[in-house]
Amino acid sequence: CVLVLCWFYIFPGYRLPRDREIVEEVLRQGEVWQKNQTGIDVYRKLLTECCDPRRMFAVTKENSPMGKVLWYDGEFYHSHTVNNETYPLFVKGNPLQLPLKKCAVVGNGGILRHSKCGQDIDQADFIMRCNLPPLSKEYVVDVGTRSHLVTANPSIIEKRFQNLLWSRKAFVDSMKVYGSSYVYMPAFSMKPGTDPSLRAYYALADTSSNLTMLFANPEFLRTVGKFWKGRGVHAKRLSTGLFLVSLALGLCEEVTAYGFWPFSVGLDEQPVSHHYYDNILPYKWFHAMPEEFVQLWHLHKSGTLRMRVGRCP
Ligand code: CDP
């Protein structure tokens, strides 16, 4: 076990490999990938045992009846008690037709730019995207057009749509690009996020939009966070992408991840931007994306999921 990543597994506290070491490791592995059904089954079982994604990924009328206390997963000692205002907004039960077959989880990494992965992504049966990403013409060839689930952070509603106080039309119009997706919002993760999430719900409902709002269940987010903490991901909060990959591993028969590359150089050793649409970096200590990548790469190497980090054929 001479590879850098193996070293990291044996001595998790040692240090993360540098960007260039990751590039070397990925190049060494090459395009080779072999599906490992046992690995897939094992991970689905582990995730089912810890986090029960089928039943728990969204807040539903079944798992969150009136009077149920939802503890915010991103804050201590804050809770929301399900009441007359919130209960009617929850879907009845898990609305997804399970199991999902081929799933694509699309991160927002700059590595997608010029990847030509759009067609590949669009061929999946269920496509998950993060944080209302742009899908305009210029990106289609690299990221595709279809979506079935897209996450929306309440902070985007606040910043991009002025909290929906007077930008409801702009919001609803901009959401049309996601077709009839589920919009997955962590409404009960941080207290200041609840109101914008409810407003987003009403903005879509009032315009008879094709989109369906699903509120992320804070209990699910917490258990998934613990799951990865136990596997060496030490961050204040997991990145949206890792939440979605975890969800996909629990719900899908096959998972391919695109756009996960939190490094400053690409496989051609050229600089790569943080996102495929801009180069705005995240708060340094909030997420631990490189640690997350190491875990995902480990799953790729074991055939449990497939990571697409180069150009698509
Ligand atoms: O909100 P957050 O910072 O988690 O995500 P984002 O920047 O909108 O990107 C979506 C997801 O793509 C992240 O949560 C990461 O999992 C992944 N990502 C990555 O792996 N490498 C990057 N350079 C950028 C994003």
Side-chain angles (χ1 to χ4, degrees):
C1 185
V2 290
L3 299 178
V4 175
L5 295 184
C6 299
W7 182 251
F8 179 68
Y9 291 123
I10 299 166
F11 304 106
Y14 176 59
R15 73 168 171 80
L16 264 174
R18 288 192 198 92
D19 292 16
R20 268 174 213 287
E21 289 170 332
I22 295 268
V23 168
E24 279 163 26
E25 153 67 15
V26 171
L27 287 173
R28 239 191 318 263
Q29 176 75 12
E31 286 295 310
V32 185
W33 184 79
Q34 193 153 17
K35 179 172 162 178
N36 168 2
Q37 193 57 49
T38 313
I40 293 173
D41 294 342
V42 166
Y43 250 80
R44 186 174 312 122
K45 188 161 178 285
L46 285 173
L47 280 158
T48 303
E49 281 165 7
C50 81
C51 319
D52 196 2
R54 287 172 172 248
R55 207 177 72 80
M56 292 301 290
F57 86 101
V59 178
T60 65
K61 288 193 166 84
E62 273 165 24
N63 63 34
S64 305
M66 284 279 265
K68 162 101 182 170
V69 178
L70 299 173
W71 289 96
Y72 285 76
D73 62 294
E75 278 178 308
F76 286 116
Y77 309 124
H78 279 101
S79 62
H80 169 82
T81 304
V82 178
N83 59 30
N84 282 332
E85 190 200 352
T86 46
Y87 182 74
L89 314 189
F90 304 159
V91 288
K92 189 163 172 294
N94 179 351
L96 306 177
Q97 294 236 326
L98 299 175
L100 303 171
K101 294 199 157 49
K102 285 192 177 187
C103 292
V105 183
V106 188
N108 288 335
I111 197 153
L112 272 171
R113 199 90 170 105
H114 310 303
S115 69
K116 296 211 163 45
C117 284
Q119 227 181 354
D120 220 72
I121 293 172
D122 276 349
Q123 273 166 12
D125 301 302
F126 196 86
I127 301 166
M128 307 187 187
R129 300 186 190 266
C130 304
N131 296 328
L132 304 181
L135 297 179
S136 42
K137 254 194 190 149
E138 59 188 301
Y139 304 121
V140 164
V141 70
D142 295 327
V143 303
T145 54
R146 301 172 65 226
S147 328
H148 298 89
L149 183 146
V150 61
T151 70
N153 211 304
S155 66
I156 305 179
I157 304 295
E158 230 177 288
K159 288 187 199 123
R160 218 185 282 172
F161 302 101
Q162 294 77 46
N163 242 334
L164 294 178
L165 294 174
W166 56 80
S167 309
R168 285 170 53 122
K169 185 170 166 9
F171 171 66
V172 172
D173 285 349
S174 75
M175 295 296 285
K176 287 192 177 138
V177 68
Y178 307 111
S180 50
S181 295
Y182 294 101
V183 182
Y184 189 57
M185 285 197 82
F188 304 102
S189 285
M190 308 282 274
K191 201 143 183 103
T194 303
D195 271 353
S197 306
L198 301 187
R199 251 181 247 134
Y201 175 97
Y202 289 120
L204 295 176
D206 292 352
T207 51
S208 321
S209 156
N210 290 332
L211 298 150
T212 305
M213 179 66 80
L214 290 179
F215 298 125
N217 195 316
E219 209 170 310
F220 175 68
L221 300 182
R222 185 178 300 111
T223 51
V224 171
K226 264 197 197 153
F227 177 85
W228 287 108
K229 200 166 225 164
R231 283 164 175 75
V233 177
H234 298 105
K236 191 159 157 37
R237 192 172 173 78
L238 293 186
S239 76
T240 311
L242 189 56
F243 277 122
L244 287 191
V245 169
S246 314
L247 181 62
L249 287 170
L251 303 183
C252 308
E253 285 175 355
E254 214 177 297
V255 180
T256 308
Y258 303 81
F260 286 77
W261 187 261
F263 309 110
S264 55
V265 284
L267 293 177
D268 52 5
E269 304 241 356
Q270 295 300 309
V272 66
S273 60
H274 184 59
H275 292 136
Y276 68 83
Y277 46 86
D278 69 27
N279 196 21
I280 299 173
L281 298 172
Y283 289 125
K284 201 138 182 109
W285 302 112
F286 195 60
H287 294 318
M289 286 189 201
E291 275 175 35
E292 293 183 359
F293 180 88
V294 171
Q295 295 297 327
L296 294 176
W297 189 247
H298 178 55
L299 292 179
H300 171 88
K301 287 192 12 165
S302 70
T304 306
L305 62 73
R306 182 168 198 177
M307 298 277 281
R308 279 263 177 217
V309 290
R311 298 232 165 99
C312 286

